[in-house]
Amino acid sequence: MKIFYNVTVIIDDSIIEEWKSWMVNTHIPAVMATGAFESYQLTQVITEGSEGGTTFAIQYLSPSKEEYERYQIQHAPKLQDEHKNKYNGKFGAFRTLMEVISHG
């Protein structure tokens, strides 16, 4: 069963361009290099409602829950710490794990 690992991040408006560049050029390639995910998409939430920042969602598609769990054990702590250390106090984040029922 395929799994979507969704990371929703609210970024302080003062660092949006720097953050997007770092995500696309550094962080996401590092996540993908772990081999735990088949693809990803970085999206910006365009509905209003987020005060004090801009909301983004990064969705990583994993071929299995086992691969996702391997990522969580072997790689996630280091990668999440890098993000936290670089942007501490400038973001909020939450993570969601979703089972894929149908995918086109």
Side-chain angles (χ1 to χ4, degrees):
M1 114 186 82
K2 293 192 180 205
I3 298 291
F4 265 118
Y5 172 48
N6 183 82
V7 182
T8 302
V9 185
I10 302 172
I11 294 295
D12 186 288
D13 288 337
S14 68
I15 62 163
I16 288 175
E17 293 308 316
E18 175 194 336
W19 181 84
K20 285 193 301 188
S21 177
W22 184 77
M23 289 297 289
V24 169
N25 296 307
T26 304
H27 185 75
I28 292 172
V31 171
M32 295 304 294
T34 68
F37 303 102
E38 297 175 349
S39 63
Y40 77 91
Q41 60 185 15
L42 170 62
T43 61
Q44 181 173 338
V45 177
I46 58 175
T47 54
E48 294 187 30
S50 178
E51 293 186 28
T54 301
T55 303
F56 295 87
I58 308 96
Q59 295 178 330
Y60 300 97
L61 181 62
S62 181
S64 68
K65 191 170 181 190
E66 292 76 23
E67 279 299 307
Y68 162 78
E69 289 170 350
R70 181 184 65 77
Y71 167 79
Q72 284 298 318
I73 293 166
Q74 295 178 2
H75 304 286
K78 176 182 179 276
L79 292 167
Q80 290 173 9
D81 282 348
E82 288 174 358
H83 184 269
K84 181 181 176 187
N85 292 336
K86 186 164 183 67
Y87 296 107
N88 197 19
K90 300 278 187 180
F91 78 97
F94 66 90
R95 293 159 179 82
T96 310
L97 193 61
M98 300 171 281
E99 178 181 350
V100 176
I101 303 299
S102 177
H103 182 69

